[in-house]
């Protein structure tokens, strides 16, 4: 196990994280195999993190060409989360060694998006959202960011640069946040004729603002979830059966706690399951059938 810990630390993992990974019976052999496939023993932090994330995603059944993807990461052909996600998707249905040009095209290998191109693409999106943004201000920013992230010209752009440029252009258009962007203040003004004894603290005083559904699902790993029907199955007929049953609609579910007590995990699950379905025009089912009330503590 010590050998694995040392190997994993070379990826840029902290000592604690490397130890945790080495003790994971599912992750450890997969990550060890991917590192071996690269033929390297030291890695940049970005390369190391991409290999670590790949190990958490791939399985031999769903991604039989994981070693090929690892080699592409190690050689620098794949250098971003978006490219690695595209690679796993491509390799779930195709043999990359049979057509490397198709693999490169599908994963944006060699594509460089300049700062000027990033700026121009974002300006175009914000211009198309201008009326909405001026009316709703920062409340509409999540939708605009989602549109930016789905813009074909920015598919292989550096996500950090995209977010920084988006924030800069949004600030230039809307100016700093003020009372118009304070949900608590707006609610207070609307109810001024019939004030209540207690009122919510302003966003400024508490130092944060509630996230919108659009912003929750426009950023991070959750924004890269597979589309309906894209989740690889052992048998293709299972996918076809699923699509027939759902009509191609996003359907999630939330199993409530039988004893009535919620913890932070439930709060996250409620947000993700109901919110993701609503954002994508789907439905979320409230289900009890996968719980066992008799086994719960009263």
């Amino acid at each position: 196990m010590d050998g694995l810990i040392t190997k994993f630390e070379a990826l840029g993992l902290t000592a604690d994280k490397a130890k945790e990974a080495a003790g994971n019976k599912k992750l450890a052999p997969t990550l060890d195999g991917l590192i071996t496939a690269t033929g390297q023993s030291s890695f940049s932090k970005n390369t190391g993190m991409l290999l670590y994330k790949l190990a958490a995603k791939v399985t031999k059944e769903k991604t039989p060409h994981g070693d090929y993807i690892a080699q592409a990461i190690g050689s620098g052909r794949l250098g971003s989360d978006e490219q690695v996600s595209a690679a796993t998707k491509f390799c779930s249905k195709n043999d990359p060694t049979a057509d490397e040009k198709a693999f490169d095209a599908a994963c944006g290998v060699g594509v460089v998006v300049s700062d000027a191109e990033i700026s121009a693409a974002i300006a175009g999106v914000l211009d198309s959202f201008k009326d909405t943004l001026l009316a709703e201000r920062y409340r509409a920013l999540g939708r605009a960011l989602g549109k930016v992230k789905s813009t074909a010209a920015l598919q292989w752009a550096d996500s950090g640069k995209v977010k920084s440029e988006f924030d800069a252009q949004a600030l230039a258009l809307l100016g700093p946040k003020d009372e118009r962007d304070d949900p608590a203040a707006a609610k207070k003004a609307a109810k001024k004729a019939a004030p209540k004894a207690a009122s919510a603290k302003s966003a400024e005083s508490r130092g944060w603002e509630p996230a919108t559904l659009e912003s929750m699902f426009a950023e991070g790993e959750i924004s890269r979830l597979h589309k309906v029907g894209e989740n690889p199955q052992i048998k293709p007929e299972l996918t076809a059966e699923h699509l027939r049953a759902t009509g191609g609609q996003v359907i999630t579910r939330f199993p409530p706690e039988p004893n009535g007590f919620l913890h932070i995990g439930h709060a996250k699950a409620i947000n993700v399951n109901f919110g993701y379905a609503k954002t994508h025009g789907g439905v979320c089912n409230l289900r009890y059938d996968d719980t066992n009330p008799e086994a719960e503590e009263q």
Side-chain angles (χ1 to χ4, degrees):
M1 185 170 174
D2 288 343
L4 282 180
I5 293 174
T6 301
K7 222 174 184 182
F8 295 167
E9 285 180 332
L11 296 175
L13 299 181
T14 64
D16 288 343
K17 195 68 177 177
K19 185 176 180 180
E20 179 186 330
N24 187 315
K25 293 182 179 180
K26 182 178 179 181
L27 177 66
T30 302
L31 183 54
D32 185 31
L34 294 177
I35 292 173
T36 300
T38 67
Q40 301 174 31
S41 58
S42 61
F43 306 89
S44 68
K45 183 161 183 147
N46 181 60
T47 298
M49 290 303 101
L50 289 178
L51 288 170
Y52 178 75
K53 291 177 182 178
L54 177 64
K57 289 180 180 179
V58 300
T59 64
K60 288 186 177 180
E61 295 77 17
K62 293 183 179 180
T63 317
H65 304 290
D67 287 355
Y68 183 91
I69 299 174
Q71 291 166 7
I73 293 173
S75 66
R77 288 169 65 200
L78 302 178
S80 69
D81 288 333
E82 291 78 12
Q83 287 183 314
V84 174
S85 293
T88 57
K89 181 178 178 180
F90 180 89
C91 291
S92 68
K93 299 178 180 179
N94 305 279
D95 179 358
T97 62
D99 192 344
E100 292 196 342
K101 287 186 178 179
F103 174 85
D104 288 353
C107 303
V109 174
V111 177
V112 177
V113 184
S114 68
D115 292 350
E117 289 171 324
I118 292 174
S119 180
I122 292 174
V125 171
L126 291 182
D127 186 60
S128 69
F129 270 81
K130 188 172 182 178
D131 291 341
T132 300
L133 287 169
L134 291 177
E136 300 181 28
R137 292 179 56 78
Y138 283 87
R139 297 187 300 280
L141 217 54
R143 279 171 278 163
L145 180 59
K147 181 67 175 177
V148 165
K149 287 180 175 290
S150 65
T151 300
L154 298 178
Q155 183 178 8
W156 308 117
D158 183 295
S159 58
K161 289 184 177 181
V162 170
K163 186 63 167 63
S164 295
E165 180 64 21
F166 177 84
D167 289 344
Q169 290 195 28
L171 180 62
L173 175 64
L174 302 176
K177 289 184 179 181
D178 55 32
E179 65 278 358
R180 292 171 293 176
D181 307 302
D182 184 346
K187 187 181 291 186
K188 184 177 180 180
K191 296 182 178 180
K192 193 172 183 181
K196 292 185 178 180
S199 61
K201 291 183 179 180
S202 68
E204 182 179 356
S205 66
R206 64 178 179 252
W208 57 273
E209 291 186 10
T212 62
L213 280 179
E214 291 85 357
S215 64
M216 281 178 62
F217 299 104
E219 302 180 49
E221 286 295 322
I222 201 166
S223 69
R224 292 190 281 272
L225 287 176
H226 61 76
K227 302 296 187 295
V228 176
E230 290 185 354
N231 189 22
Q233 301 294 322
I234 296 175
K235 297 180 180 179
E237 53 267 28
L238 292 177
T239 299
E241 183 181 345
H242 171 77
L243 292 175
R244 283 195 300 270
T246 62
Q249 186 180 37
V250 171
I251 299 179
T252 60
R253 61 107 171 119
F254 173 71
E257 188 72 15
N259 63 21
F261 292 96
L262 295 180
H263 55 65
I264 190 65
H266 291 111
K268 179 179 179 181
I270 289 169
N271 269 292
V272 171
N273 286 294
F274 282 91
Y276 187 79
K278 183 175 182 179
T279 301
H280 294 282
V283 296
C284 182
N285 295 318
L286 193 61
R287 296 175 48 171
Y288 279 96
D289 59 353
D290 58 347
T291 60
N292 182 8
E294 295 180 359
E296 293 293 327
E297 295 182 6
Q298 299 301 315

